[in-house]
Amino acid sequence: MFLKEYISDVYTGVTSLLKGMRKTGYYFLHPKEIITEQYPDNRATLVLAERFKGEVVMPHDANNEHACTGCTACEIACPNGTIKVVTKFDITPEGKKKKAIDALVYHLELCTMCNLCVIACPSDAIKMVPTFEHSVFDRSKLTKILNKPASKIREGIE
Amino acid sequence: MGAISLIALLVAAIAFSAGGILIGKILVKGSTNPQKGQPYECGIPTNTSPWHQFNVGYYLFALLFLIFDVELVFLYPWAVVVKKVGIIALIEIIIFIFILFMGFLYAHKKGALKWS
Amino acid sequence: MFSLEGITTTTQNWLFAKFDPTIALAIECIIVIFLAITLFAGLGLVLVLMERKVAARIQIRLGPNRVGPGGMFQTVADTLKLIMKEGLTPDSADKFLFNLAPFIVMMVAMLLLAPIAFAKNFQIWDINIGVLYISAISSLSVIGILMAGWASNNKYSLLGAMRSGAQIVSYELSAGFAVLTIVVLTGSLQISEIIAAQQNGWWIFKGHIPAVIAFVIFIIAVTAETNRAPFDLAEAESELTAGFHTEYSGMKFALFFLAEYINIFIVCAIGATLFLGGWMPLHIGSWEAFNNIMDYIPSSVWFMGKTFLLIFVIMWFRWTFPRLRIDQLLNLEWKYLLPISLLNLLLVAVIAILGWHF
Amino acid sequence: MSNEEIKEIISSTLPSATYDETGEWLNVIIDSKDWKKIAAECRNGALQMDFLFCLTCVDWKTHLTMVYHLTSTKHRHNIVVKANLDHAMPEIETVCDIWRTAEFHEREVFEMFGVNFLNHPDLRKLILEDDFKGFPLRKDFEDPINMIKL
Amino acid sequence: MYNQTEIIKDTTNLGPEGELIINMGPQHPATHGVLHLVVTLNGETIKKIEPHLGYIHRSIEKMCESLTYRQFIYVTSRMDYLSSHINNLGCALLIEKGMQIEVPERAKYIRVILSELTRIASHELWLGAMAMDLGAFTPFFYTFREREMITEIMEETCGARLTMNYIVPGGLMYDIHPDFQKKVKAFIKQFKEKVTEFEDLVTNNIIFQSRTKGIGILSAEDAISFGCTGPVARASGVSCDIRKLYPYDVYDKVEFDEIIETAGDSFARYIVRVKEMNQSIRIIEQLIDCIPEGEFVGKTKNVLKLPKGEFYTRVETARGEFGVFIVSEGGTNPYRIKFRSPGFSNLSALNHMAAGSKIGDLMATMGTLDLVIPDIDR
Amino acid sequence: MNISAIIFYAISALILGAGILAVTSVKIFRSAIWLLFSLVGIAALYFWMQVEFIAAIQIVVYVGGIVILIIFSIFLTQQSGKDLPKPALSKTLFSALAALFGIAFTFNLITHYGFDNVSAAPFNASVNEIGMQMLSTSSHGFILPFEVVSMLLLASMIGCIVIAMKTSTSDATPLNNKED
Amino acid sequence: MELKEKDNQAFPGIIHETPGGGIVVSTFDSIINWARSNSLWPLSFATSCCGIEMMSTASAKYDFSRFGFEVARASPRQADVIIIAGTIVNKMAPVLKRLYDQMADPKYVIAMGACAISGGPFFYNTYSVVKGADHIIPVDVYIPGCPPRPEALLHSLISLQEKIKMGMTRDQIRGEFKG
Amino acid sequence: MNEIPLTHILFASTALFFIGMYGLFTRRNIITMLMSIELMLNSVNINFVAFNKYLFPDKLDGIFFSLFIITIAAAEAAVAIAIIINLYRSHNSIDVDDATEMKY
Ligand code: SF4
Ligand code: SF4
Ligand code: SF4
């Protein structure tokens, strides 16, 4: 019967639409469902997963010492040449020449946060930290030297 | 206030739009480059204009619309007086609408209301 | 809470008492111009912000809340920026029509303001063919869109314009029939009389089922006529990148944007006037006390309340439904809305003649 | 079907085909001229190899090798067909009338390796710019401007 | 570097009477990413669609030839970034197969759980994006609410939200986070509550149905002939789930159904994906409580050398069969590497599916194909 | 010379100017737009004459319907960007002369006749009146034409469908080119 | 430039939190800059992975409509800022240039992710990747990361707001300003 | 408004009529000719209304005539355009010079 299915068409269509409107209407009436985190205002309370790979840093302890031996394992491990290890030779008290890093250059703009360098590092001298506010107006600001000026290699790391 | 208000409204519209556009024109000087004037097409250059013959699949609907539009026009005076005239008006309009409904059903049967 | 009742009459009397008619008329014109422009600007700001807030609430977001208290100045900032943005005109476009189109759209929106009763005795021109006038003028708006679409000389624009041409044109019919039902019940086209007829109850209550059906059809039709989702094929984001105003930028684009919202306001105002009694407070038969309490609320508040309710419903549609396809859209009109509203009209006629409505 | 059966079916159509079973699947090494014949046989014959799930090319600096991975959605057996092409002017019959997916894959191989597929409906560049020079996936490809060696 | 003269050549030309040739993409809201379709229109009807690829061709296959076997894994998570974990898994599996590395059970379980989580995340995103193509904006936000939970889990365990590089040959990079299981259970709970929303909002919606039912039909034969895999092929009734046919890791231990629809239209594709999400939940529920203790990475040499020969592995990503084909000369990096990406084959069927329908249908068809362009261009 | 007179001359200027442009413009789309303006001007003239009903009808039917239809048909049949062929100069001259002569002739007729018997009786063309008379079955009623109109519309509708559908079967929208 | 230093001590966006939501009503310019910085409409332009993170920035959790960015325009004529989210390859470069050229002034560019900044993972041994989007169009703000988290994108947007708000002469407003 | 004499309105309508006629003579393109015809019809309408208003204010016949004229014009336009499009589909042109010798 043509008329019957015509009416039933109208009926089913309208009801299905009303169902959808009920859903959205529910959310409109329940502000507690809002899940927005207001980023710049919640900076104080914002906690990131400690594993989040934001950038590579080289931890320095109180008397400005790091654990990097300049073995360039990270440079080799890095898939896209983000790390350049510049080594120098300095004289140990015993008078022996000893290899140490002059600068560990790290191009943040190239890094893909793949963590391979950290894994490769034999002496855990570098690690990933969950920072993300790196926006800059000038690309050259993104090239960093990880070891602090005048920092020395910690004793007892070969 | 009478029909004069329409003119006032027209003036208002023109003043509003023109004012806005002019401020922009005066204060903003845009950079120019050869690309800027070309039509936008998802970033792909185009040298063909849409101004060639273009197949409007739904002109048939426009035809039918015109007919029904005229019918609508005749219904307005009827609607105003139907309460006063009473049952006669009803009969007349039922005839009127019935005849046109025939046409509507015909169109439906011929599939004129289906898409292309 | 102030009420606009009588303001117009007093001012008019005062003016005509003070000056000679021509000057008074001129002054009135200037007042009207001023009011209209402020109304436009105000409505634009409010409606756009409302749209974004409603969308945010439905989409479990916060929405604009950083510019000004609660994001109140967000749209102000947008407007300023749009004014201060460069207005491009493509080289290959038909420059004259391209620049004319926004004006047309604005004029149409503006002209539609004339017969709307914002409050008791607060109406620019109580034209005697009120609703017919409205449906006539609103059928002009499609011209602006077609012009813009063709003059842009851009394929997306042309497609969008064609679509909205077919769409607006068809949905005018069912909108007209829905309006006619009320005309039948009232026996007049004049806005003021239509409102007066709802003194003892709004048509949507008095008119039984047919009035409700007409109301639903009206809402659907005007949603389509104003190119709102789910009928926004004219500027279907995902199909034709921005539809008929793809090539517009800066203030010209802002005018289209504004006109869209003004049209929404106007059609909702019409809907409120025809079906929900305009500024008429909610009166129920013979409950004197209740009616008196209702009368304390100023009429402008009633009008605005009803209008914004309808506007909210239309926004609710937009943020719930997917978009129709052009042929489905035309099907909906010609297969469902048109026959139903035709029969509905006859039904109403019977009711009106037999006087079954209270 | 076991590799043996596959082998004899193929040998019955093409005696010259040689086999190599060191890899995971049966490899059929054929001469590039016979490819069309084998392909039709594999697709429509008893093997029912209706699913060409990988089509690529390898550049051994001396020659190119087309590699077709075929499987059958009916019998669930896979074979790998290989055909060696001349490095100077590689040519092979297209199979995009047998497996329609081959059309795009062959276009890709065409621009990446310069293999010329005979009777291909439209053998144009699919991925690279139209004015791109050279065949990037060949071993001897050099692009001093864009390609920075690590 | 790029002056005006280098603007690429015009791809459109004046068609015959009544035909309009439109470029969709590279920058187009509906072609997620940078697909470029040259669509020949007759009025509103599509006559022909010609995809132009390569706007995100990053020459991954070439650069992998100069990366070591440890390094090249991370690149694959940039191809099909929505199922990056599964891509990594495929490469790792190949290396393990080639070098007979023993992978500890624990690692296998975790890999599978993460893969399924990735699949759900991908389908959630697809659902939102497709609804957006059809003009419904709100579902996008609801799907992302659940997806965010997954990305949080990923972030906590793998250290990245999207392109996690968590798998190393022989196991995992590091052990899972202590409250991994807790979080996953919480996610499953919420997901089961919220998935019904889409019944009301999308699945049963009359507009949505009328826009997807009978649109972009792909028959089973065509699906096979076009090499389609994944949900696209399964919606046409082709059984092609790698997890069933060639089980890897612990997929043979868990029980789940391969969703098969026969209609082959956009709606079937939609249904298949929605049901697949539930199956993934089922798999996770079976595994999450019985992750065995033990090592998370097997014993591997420091420098990996794949023996001479050719290797092929396939895994089931969210889009279908992802194959890795490596030709090794026995060195530390592959001699030739070829990624068989599901999207490439699925796209080749687009013209066949969409020709003759309306522009609006193109959106529905493309949306349900669930294309990821970098996966196609590589 | 008061406001309404000014308005009248402005409106007529709009009508005539737009009309002239409509028949002379070389871009067909533009001439359609000019035609539209001319029609709107005529509607305004009706407004000015206080026959609002006819004015509204004018807009609804002509602007809302016919012009849209004309624009659609332009897109269907024209290269709307292309300029129309210029008519031959001789032809232009001839037509212009003919038109001018006709104008002069009629003007002179009108001015001589003068229409001095203008009756100042109030004129009431409210929709109510129109409706009453349209539906009245009396000798002055228009009920017969009213019903005939419906027949006319029916006929034209069927005519349109028959003519249009005749080719729209062989219409250039093939749904069967799945193979390519 | 000195902005970066300011970044380091004070977080961008906190600085202008004066009552009234950071409206700095000093001169005409600053009003205009306030308006522009607060209604940056992005062009929906995402090429790869970073685009997904851009989507999640739009999603309900980190909802960038709070800043008024949600009006993503599909047409460059109406957009104010391109967020280059993803790799730019040689075939895409002219398209990007075109889109940028077709935008109406003033226009700003954000390079999101390692790829957009410098080619990132695809810097070495690739024949088709543009080594940094700023070879093609001027870039205002760079966000490192692969992909950057949504918060990072928000941070960069706020930095861009800062850049617009502070010291730009009338001429710079008129669109000669290049990042 | 009565100080506008009827003749001025008639002048306007006459001018419009002959403008339409001019268009009808010069244009060779059926659609533009159709436009010209519409103009002429409108000028006639103006006359009807004007006469009715000025000369016989007590009757409404002029109004009704213009009403029916508009109706007929609509029907005529609809059919005409259907024919035009059909014509175009059959012989790829709607130029009268080509259309004249075609037996339709
Ligand atoms: S994280 Fe990866 S890309 Fe970044 S420096 Fe380490 S190894 Fe290189
Ligand atoms: S960081 Fe580690 S790996 Fe890199 S040079 Fe220093 S010690 Fe070696
Ligand atoms: S930066 Fe990383 S995440 Fe972003 S597009 Fe490039 S590879 Fe993808």
Side-chain angles (χ1 to χ4, degrees), chain C residues 41-61:
Chain C
L43 273 181
L45 297 182
V46 172
L47 286 178
V48 175
L49 187 63
M50 173 179 170
E51 170 97 271
R52 286 160 83 166
K53 281 290 189 184
V54 169
R57 276 291 284 278
I58 285 181
Q59 297 166 346
I60 55 177
R61 297 183 287 129

Side-chain angles (χ1 to χ4, degrees), chain D residues 92-150:
Chain D
I92 191 165
E93 277 286 326
T94 178
V95 286
C96 61
D97 48 355
I98 301 177
W99 297 283
R100 299 170 79 172
T101 178
E103 176 175 355
F104 273 35
H105 283 92
E106 283 174 350
R107 279 175 73 177
E108 187 192 358
V109 170
F110 160 72
E111 63 190 334
M112 294 292 173
F113 290 89
V115 178
N116 179 18
F117 291 91
L118 309 167
N119 324 334
H120 189 285
D122 64 338
L123 201 57
R124 288 175 297 122
K125 280 195 161 51
L126 174 68
I127 289 178
L128 298 169
E129 302 97 315
D130 300 345
D131 50 4
F132 191 90
K133 299 274 176 303
F135 305 115
L137 284 187
R138 286 195 182 183
K139 287 292 172 185
D140 52 11
F141 175 76
E142 283 301 333
D143 185 349
I145 303 153
N146 292 318
M147 208 152 160
I148 304 171
K149 284 269 189 310
L150 178 57

Side-chain angles (χ1 to χ4, degrees), chain C residues 259-309:
Chain C
E260 178 187 343
Y261 281 95
I262 301 292
N263 283 331
I264 292 164
F265 173 81
I266 286 165
V267 292
C268 289
I270 304 298
T273 310
L274 293 182
F275 295 92
L276 305 182
W279 49 261
M280 191 61 75
L282 174 57
H283 284 170
I284 296 180
S286 56
W287 303 7
E288 286 313 323
F290 179 80
N291 295 351
N292 294 339
I293 297 167
M294 286 295 144
D295 290 340
Y296 278 118
I297 306 174
S299 56
S300 50
V301 178
W302 276 107
F303 175 76
M304 281 298 167
K306 293 166 184 173
T307 311
F308 273 84
L309 184 74

Side-chain angles (χ1 to χ4, degrees), chain A residues 53 55-56 74-83 105-108 110-120 126 128 146, chain E residues 71 74 78 165, chain G residues 121:
Chain A
K53 297 178 265 188
E55 68 174 327
V56 178
C74 51
E75 179 170 355
I76 295 161
C78 179
N80 59 341
T82 304
I83 291 184
V105 184
Y106 170 63
H107 300 279
L108 183 53
L110 276 178
C111 179
T112 64
M113 316 299 168
C114 68
N115 211 27
L116 291 175
C117 53
V118 177
I119 289 193
I126 50 178
M128 279 282 182
L146 288 189
Chain E
Q71 290 173 337
Y74 93 100
R78 271 70 179 174
N165 180 35

